[in-house]
Amino acid sequence: MASLALASRLRIPLSRALVAALAVVILFNGSYWAQEGLMVGDLLTSLGLVLIGIATVGRLWCNLYIVGYKNNTLLTTGPYSISRNPLYFFSSLGAVGVGLTSESLLVTVTIALLFAATYPGVILAEEKRLAGLHGQAWTDYVAHVPRFWPKFGQLSEPDRYTVHPQQFRRHLSDALWFAWAAAIVQLIQTLHDSGWLPAYWHAF
């Protein structure tokens, strides 16, 4: 469908636009919980860092399998044995984690909703392409591997796997940007606390 193809093509520019908009919000949003002297802000940050850690390791795991194989091989082992879209699953955890480090539930929910509104169309477009490339093998794969939420009980990994180290190295930054984003958010909060950067509102 044309709409699915359009969603796939617009994924990167749309994602960048959403990130830019959220960055502006976070830049001038102070922590309501810190303002009230509550521990909720610290708890949100801690939970966010845990999710970012899981997302980073998960994306590295996915890239280990997919780099060098994405366009010509149907991946069905490792993270791709428990979810058809594990990269998007771990990315969603990382995005929510970054939102939590802002110590704002409103920012976190907004990020989650934007992700939920953007990526289903992208996933459907990619799955349509894979169905055309792999035919019956794709149909069999779809029959027992969930689209998004992992089914960890059916994890299947080979004893040996050929990795493409040069390509894998070039994709390392893809897995680390959630940690960088969290560091930037923490820097912004430090600037707010020190008075160097004004906070024009304090969202929950």
Side-chain angles (χ1 to χ4, degrees):
M1 294 174 62
S3 59
L4 295 181
L6 180 62
S8 182
R9 288 197 303 272
L10 293 179
R11 176 176 63 88
I12 293 179
L14 182 58
S15 297
R16 289 174 178 172
L18 294 175
V19 168
L22 284 168
V24 172
V25 172
I26 293 172
L27 191 63
F28 298 108
N29 176 63
S31 172
Y32 168 83
W33 310 106
Q35 182 186 29
E36 295 296 320
L38 302 175
M39 292 181 58
V40 177
D42 293 335
L43 293 175
L44 292 176
T45 296
S46 297
L47 177 58
L49 292 175
V50 169
L51 291 181
I52 289 170
I54 294 172
T56 300
V57 173
R59 285 184 61 85
L60 287 171
W61 183 33
C62 294
N63 281 335
L64 189 72
Y65 276 83
I66 197 173
V67 170
Y69 295 98
K70 181 176 181 178
N71 295 320
N72 52 22
T73 303
L74 177 60
L75 298 172
T76 60
T77 59
Y80 295 89
S81 67
I82 61 176
S83 170
R84 303 202 301 269
N85 294 278
L87 269 172
Y88 291 140
F89 170 75
F90 287 115
S91 293
S92 69
L93 294 185
V96 170
V98 171
L100 288 170
T101 62
S102 74
E103 299 183 5
S104 170
L105 294 176
L106 178 61
V107 170
T108 303
V109 171
T110 300
I111 290 175
L113 291 176
L114 289 174
F115 194 97
T118 303
Y119 279 87
V122 176
I123 290 173
L124 290 175
E126 291 186 356
E127 291 197 342
K128 181 181 179 181
R129 180 181 65 83
L130 291 170
L133 287 174
H134 303 292
Q136 187 59 43
W138 172 257
T139 301
D140 296 340
Y141 176 59
V142 169
H144 68 276
V145 177
R147 170 174 286 153
F148 186 77
W149 299 104
K151 188 183 292 185
F152 291 99
Q154 63 183 35
L155 174 64
S156 173
E157 293 184 298
D159 293 330
R160 296 173 183 269
Y161 192 80
T162 301
V163 177
H164 300 265
Q166 292 183 356
Q167 295 183 52
F168 177 74
R169 175 171 48 81
R170 289 196 292 268
H171 283 77
L172 287 176
S173 61
D174 293 344
L176 296 176
W177 86 266
F178 292 115
W180 296 336
I184 292 172
V185 169
Q186 292 302 299
L187 174 60
I188 291 172
Q189 290 184 346
T190 299
L191 293 175
H192 285 159
D193 294 339
S194 65
W196 284 86
L197 183 67
Y200 294 110
W201 61 84
H202 295 80
F204 284 93

